[in-house]
Amino acid sequence: MTLFESSCQPQEKEATQTQKARGKKTCSLRLFSSPDPGNNSLTRSRPTEVKIAPRGRAMETDIFANQKEEDAIDSQYFQGEKRKVIQPSSLKDPKLEKLKEVLTNWINGILKPEHIVVQSLQEDLYDGLVLHHLLSSLAGVHLPVEEMALTSTAQIRKLEVIMEELNKRLGLEDSDQIRWNVNLIHNKDLLATIHLLVAMVRCFQPETDLPPNVKIEVVIVEVGRSGIKSDVQVEILTQDSITRKDSISNTESEDPIEQLLKLEAHKVNTVKKAILHFVNQNMSTMGLQVADMDKQFSDGVILLLLIGQLEGFFIPLCDFNLTPVSHSEMLHNVTLALDLLNDMGLQMSSIDPQDIVSQDVTATLKVLYALFKKHKGK
């Protein structure tokens, strides 16, 4: 099914030739293609515009050409406002193109089970649909917002709810580090959109490899009473590899779970929900469901079944206790599970089986996180 939307402003009947040449409006035809009935993927593609422009009008290549029609607006409305615009030369930077490609593939990889396909970072995230599904998949958050926001007002309202929750999850509430806002995202600001996605990758999946040392030139435009001031600056989108390796090496001696448990409670809960979702996704085929991560792994049964399910082998029932009752039977199961993990190359030697039997949260999370990290992308 194809939908058409036409917008064409009529010309005044009594207009001079000069007025016709200057004031003649552009007629725009927008074409929207619905997904192919045979394809279950929802492809977020840009509407195709066919524009009929007056003859003789030269093509403007200047960076501010698209703002000429707005020059007549009272400049007082924009006083004190700063705008960042990416230099056209930077838009062609291979590093920026690579970063956009990696971020696009990252989004599509996460949303593949939901059959959502993103083609353009600039055009496909402005209405909140993709960001809502990303937040739901990465943090297990389900917000009370409409699925499809069709009007501009509804889209902004939806983005406000999403951005508030997202900034909270990123730990950037009321922070000077925030380089995006609802208006920038809704206005398809590429710079703000990339900053937001990079922050999401670093927070939710820090092991994802982003192109290092991506820097671009931006023009900062400020409107004041004395006029318009502009300045060219360098904007850093990703750290260089050396700086990032240094920051990682400073903390690599500490276990990631121990680092996690030092963070705010909502961040710990976010990771626990993600791991729990991973566990239940893999145990559902066996008719098993885990509700309490801290307690249900203490007897070693579900842990052994999960290892066998993920690694593709069967553990003979005679090798462990399927319905352990005593402490020694539980300890036997957990010890066997840790031995299997060590044989698989996952270093569990620092974990005492007794800690898991005693329902130690840190020990249990370390084991599950090791499995999650190895198998989550499969």
Side-chain angles (χ1 to χ4, degrees):
M1 181 176 67
T2 303
L3 303 178
F4 292 91
E5 175 188 321
S6 178
S7 62
C8 184
Q9 299 184 16
Q11 303 175 41
E12 295 184 4
K13 292 182 178 180
E14 297 180 4
T16 64
Q17 290 184 351
T18 304
Q19 288 174 326
K20 289 181 180 179
R22 293 180 179 175
K24 195 170 184 180
K25 301 297 182 181
T26 298
C27 180
S28 173
L29 178 66
R30 296 166 65 85
L31 180 147
F32 300 81
S33 297
S34 63
D36 185 1
N39 184 358
N40 292 327
S41 297
L42 173 61
T43 302
R44 303 302 314 279
S45 59
R46 297 191 297 275
T48 302
E49 292 196 3
V50 181
K51 292 188 176 180
I52 307 171
R55 292 184 179 179
R57 187 170 182 173
M59 179 68 70
E60 294 286 343
T61 58
D62 188 83
I63 189 171
F64 302 112
N66 60 350
Q67 309 242 340
K68 283 192 172 184
E69 293 182 0
E70 299 176 6
D71 289 346
I73 299 177
D74 189 351
S75 62
Q76 290 183 356
Y77 179 80
F78 298 103
Q79 280 190 10
E81 181 181 354
K82 286 186 178 180
R83 294 185 177 184
K84 286 185 180 180
V85 183
I86 301 177
Q87 285 273 46
S89 57
S90 289
L91 287 172
K92 301 177 182 179
D93 189 324
K95 289 186 177 181
L96 177 61
E97 290 294 327
K98 181 63 178 177
L99 177 60
K100 289 165 61 179
E101 179 185 348
V102 171
L103 290 173
T104 301
N105 291 338
W106 176 73
I107 294 173
N108 289 335
I110 293 173
L111 300 185
K112 184 178 180 180
E114 302 181 51
H115 307 290
I116 295 177
V117 179
V118 167
Q119 294 182 335
S120 168
L121 299 181
Q122 191 168 7
E123 298 289 340
D124 294 345
L125 276 70
Y126 75 97
D127 61 356
L129 186 145
V130 172
L131 290 175
H132 182 210
H133 281 265
L134 280 176
L135 185 58
S136 177
S137 298
L138 294 169
V141 178
H142 302 284
L143 300 174
V145 295
E146 54 189 317
E147 178 68 11
M148 298 291 291
L150 301 180
T151 66
S152 178
T153 302
Q155 291 164 359
I156 291 174
R157 186 168 58 246
K158 180 177 181 178
L159 279 171
E160 286 173 346
V161 177
I162 295 171
M163 298 304 292
E164 181 181 359
E165 182 65 26
L166 191 50
N167 288 339
K168 185 190 301 182
R169 297 283 170 174
L170 295 175
L172 296 174
E173 293 178 283
D174 301 323
S175 173
D176 294 335
Q177 299 179 21
I178 299 178
R179 300 181 182 181
W180 55 85
N181 58 44
V182 171
N183 289 332
L184 289 175
I185 299 300
H186 187 254
N187 289 331
K188 305 179 183 180
D189 188 288
L190 179 61
L191 184 62
T193 302
I194 290 177
H195 274 307
L196 173 60
L197 291 174
V198 169
M200 291 177 68
V201 171
R202 296 302 188 211
C203 175
F204 296 111
Q205 294 188 349
E207 70 281 1
T208 302
D209 290 327
L210 295 179
N213 198 31
V214 180
K215 301 177 182 178
I216 57 173
E217 284 190 348
V218 297
V219 179
I220 300 179
V221 181
E222 182 176 6
V223 181
R225 292 184 179 180
S226 59
I228 300 176
K229 298 179 181 179
S230 64
D231 185 27
V232 178
Q233 295 183 3
V234 175
E235 187 96 356
I236 299 175
L237 299 180
T238 61
Q239 296 177 329
D240 61 67
S241 56
I242 297 177
T243 302
R244 181 156 177 79
K245 286 178 181 178
D246 289 343
S247 63
I248 294 174
S249 63
N250 290 334
T251 57
E252 65 181 0
S253 58
E254 188 176 9
D255 189 276
I257 294 300
E258 293 177 356
Q259 295 177 41
L260 169 69
L261 295 175
K262 293 179 181 179
L263 301 177
E264 296 89 337
H266 71 85
K267 291 186 177 181
V268 177
N269 289 332
T270 297
V271 175
K272 291 176 72 173
K273 286 180 181 178
I275 294 176
L276 188 62
H277 175 73
F278 162 78
V279 170
N280 287 328
Q281 195 175 34
N282 286 280
M283 298 301 293
S284 60
T285 56
M286 303 181 69
L288 296 174
Q289 187 81 6
V290 176
D292 191 337
M293 185 188 303
D294 301 340
K295 296 179 180 179
Q296 286 183 258
F297 289 95
S298 61
D299 62 6
V301 176
I302 294 182
L303 182 57
L304 284 168
L305 295 176
L306 177 63
I307 293 171
Q309 186 78 354
L310 292 172
E311 294 296 327
F313 57 74
F314 176 75
I315 303 174
L317 298 180
C318 60
D319 288 348
F320 69 100
N321 300 287
L322 189 60
T323 55
V325 177
S326 65
H327 180 274
S328 60
E329 289 176 338
M330 296 180 184
L331 189 61
H332 170 80
N333 286 352
V334 174
T335 302
L336 174 61
L338 295 181
D339 288 342
L340 289 173
L341 293 176
N342 281 320
D343 292 341
M344 290 157 43
L346 300 177
Q347 299 301 320
M348 297 287 116
S349 56
S350 61
I351 298 176
D352 188 345
Q354 177 61 49
D355 291 338
I356 295 180
V357 175
S358 301
Q359 300 180 11
D360 182 87
V361 178
T362 303
T364 304
L365 276 176
K366 284 181 179 180
V367 173
L368 295 177
Y369 177 75
L371 288 168
F372 171 76
K373 187 176 180 181
K374 180 179 179 181
H375 292 279
K376 65 172 181 168
K378 296 181 179 180

